[in-house]
């Protein structure tokens, strides 16, 4: 459980750093990508993880997202910025669709 907590804090710190203007490295982007995959896979198990809590407003503002946006959406948005899809849906849209399907957001 402590490992999960530490890992969650790491991805949130990376997002926080980005919101203050830090350019993320390829390794950090890969870490964020793995974190998003893990969060999506665990969505069926529990929605009690920190990724389903609202990110601070300054992070949402930096990412041009609504105030109160979940951490998981901020994570997907950063990945879309750094690794936009060549075709098809963005990660943000896929995550939003999953959240909508689970009843965690209102369309």
């Amino acid at each position: 459980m402590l490992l999960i907590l530490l890992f969650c804090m790491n991805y949130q710190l990376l997002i926080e750093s980005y919101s203050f203007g830090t350019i993320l490295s390829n390794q950090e982007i890969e870490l964020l990508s793995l974190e998003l995959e893990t969060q999506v896979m665990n969505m069926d198990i529990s929605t009690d993880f920190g990724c389903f809590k609202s990110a601070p407003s300054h992070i949402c503002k930096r990412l041009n997202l609504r105030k109160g946006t979940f951490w998981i959406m901020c994570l997907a948005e950063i990945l879309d910025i750094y690794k936009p899809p060549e075709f098809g849906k963005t990660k943000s849209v896929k995550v939003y669709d999953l959240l909508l399907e689970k009843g965690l957001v209102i369309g």
Side-chain angles (χ1 to χ4, degrees):
M1 184 66 167
L2 182 59
L3 183 60
I4 291 172
L5 179 61
L6 290 174
F7 197 63
C8 284
M9 289 172 46
N10 284 338
Y11 91 84
Q12 290 175 347
L13 288 173
L14 288 174
I15 293 172
E16 183 84 30
S17 293
Y18 176 82
S19 75
F20 288 117
T22 301
I23 296 172
L24 302 177
S25 69
N26 288 337
Q27 185 178 10
E28 290 167 328
I29 295 303
E30 288 306 312
L31 175 68
L32 293 177
S33 188
L34 287 171
E35 176 62 23
L36 182 62
E37 287 178 36
T38 302
Q39 289 181 11
V40 168
M41 286 188 323
N42 289 320
M43 202 179 287
D44 287 333
I45 298 169
S46 176
T47 56
D48 292 334
F49 296 115
C51 59
F52 298 107
K53 294 191 182 342
S54 297
S57 58
H58 68 278
I59 291 174
C60 298
K61 183 177 179 180
R62 171 72 164 92
L63 293 170
N64 295 318
L65 298 171
R66 287 186 323 214
K67 182 178 176 181
T69 297
F70 289 155
W71 277 104
I72 192 171
M73 285 298 300
C74 295
L75 177 55
E77 188 67 26
I78 286 178
L79 291 170
D80 288 340
I81 290 167
Y82 276 88
K83 296 169 80 172
E86 292 182 27
F87 56 90
K89 292 182 179 180
T90 63
K91 289 184 183 340
S92 299
V93 170
K94 290 177 184 178
V95 169
Y96 184 82
D97 288 348
L98 281 170
L99 293 172
L100 192 60
E101 181 182 307
K102 302 281 182 200
L104 296 169
V105 295
I106 299 171

